[in-house]
Amino acid sequence: MISAKAIAARIETLAKEIQTAFKGTEKLVVVGLLRGSFVFIADLVRELDLPVEVDFLEASSYGSGMESSREVRILKDLRGEIQGRDVLVVEDIVDTGHTLHHVVNLLRSKGPRRLETIALLDKPTRREVDVKATWTGFEIPDKFVVGYGIDYAQRNRNLPYIGAVRFT
Ligand code: IMP
Ligand code: MG
């Protein structure tokens, strides 16, 4: 669906925009949401010419029958402090929006100076909560995708490109 080359080119552009937005920052805490964002965050921070700290957060959502009433739980919290800091949350895909919505609320409650979000992929037609990342790599249709860190039952994270899964 999206080639490694297209991803790299898009990240270069996004990194320039992020650099402009956070110009002069004392330190930017880049928070990757595990596990899906690990490849994206690795490529993104290497394009950022800013003082950067990298941290990770793991959230997991549990269906309770109805997707729209999903509960998001924090499985691994941040190691560092973000109070008074500039923060960039890095997500792989914004799908229903529950995860990003919950994580942003949680991190905002810790009093960052500024908090922005970036998602590599966005499936706007799937949205159940009104949330949008500050920056988005690519908008995609409602297809299940893998690769570039993103899995299907923990497989295919190592593909260098984004592919759509064909369910036959
Ligand atoms: P949301 O809370 O529904 O926005 O869920 C977002 C999370 O669901 C992402 O961080 C992914 O981990 C997972 N997800 C959503 N769509 C896909 C997909 O197409 N492939 C793999 N994981 C997905
Ligand atoms: Mg995820």
Side-chain angles (χ1 to χ4, degrees):
M1 187 185 270
I2 308 169
S3 71
K5 216 173 147 188
I7 296 169
R10 184 71 184 122
I11 289 177
E12 234 184 87
T13 304
L14 290 167
K16 285 196 188 106
E17 292 179 20
I18 292 165
Q19 251 167 239
T20 307
F22 285 102
K23 197 171 175 207
T25 185
E26 201 178 300
K27 184 170 74 181
L28 178 64
V29 183
V30 183
V31 176
L33 301 194
L34 293 171
R35 287 174 253 180
S37 73
F38 81 104
V39 177
F40 182 34
I41 193 175
D43 281 345
L44 183 65
V45 294
R46 283 180 291 177
E47 290 292 333
L48 288 178
D49 187 14
L50 291 172
V52 153
E53 179 175 317
V54 174
D55 207 337
F56 291 97
L57 186 76
E58 185 171 12
S60 193
S61 52
Y62 293 86
S64 54
M66 285 243 309
E67 271 190 33
S68 53
S69 59
R70 282 190 338 173
E71 185 190 332
V72 179
R73 272 194 260 172
I74 300 303
L75 302 180
K76 185 212 165 290
D77 208 343
L78 296 178
R79 290 293 299 273
E81 291 290 329
I82 60 164
Q83 188 174 8
R85 299 270 173 223
D86 291 328
V87 177
L88 177 67
V89 176
V90 181
E91 172 65 309
D92 54 355
I93 310 181
V94 184
D95 187 36
T96 64
H98 287 283
T99 307
L100 190 63
H101 178 74
H102 182 85
V103 166
V104 164
N105 283 345
L106 174 82
L107 297 187
R108 280 207 198 287
S109 74
K110 297 179 188 241
R113 193 175 86 98
R114 178 171 175 191
L115 188 147
E116 304 292 349
T117 54
I118 182 168
L120 178 68
L121 305 175
D122 188 354
K123 297 183 191 171
T125 61
R126 292 264 306 158
R127 203 70 91 251
E128 294 173 9
V129 196
D130 186 20
V131 64
K132 191 163 177 32
T134 316
W135 292 281
T136 297
F138 303 89
E139 282 196 0
I140 60 167
D142 180 13
K143 290 216 164 112
F144 199 86
V145 296
V146 291
Y148 200 73
I150 299 164
D151 73 302
Y152 174 45
Q154 300 308 325
R155 293 190 56 187
N156 302 124
R157 290 192 197 273
N158 54 329
L159 290 176
Y161 54 85
I162 300 283
V165 178
R166 200 183 303 139
F167 297 93
T168 49

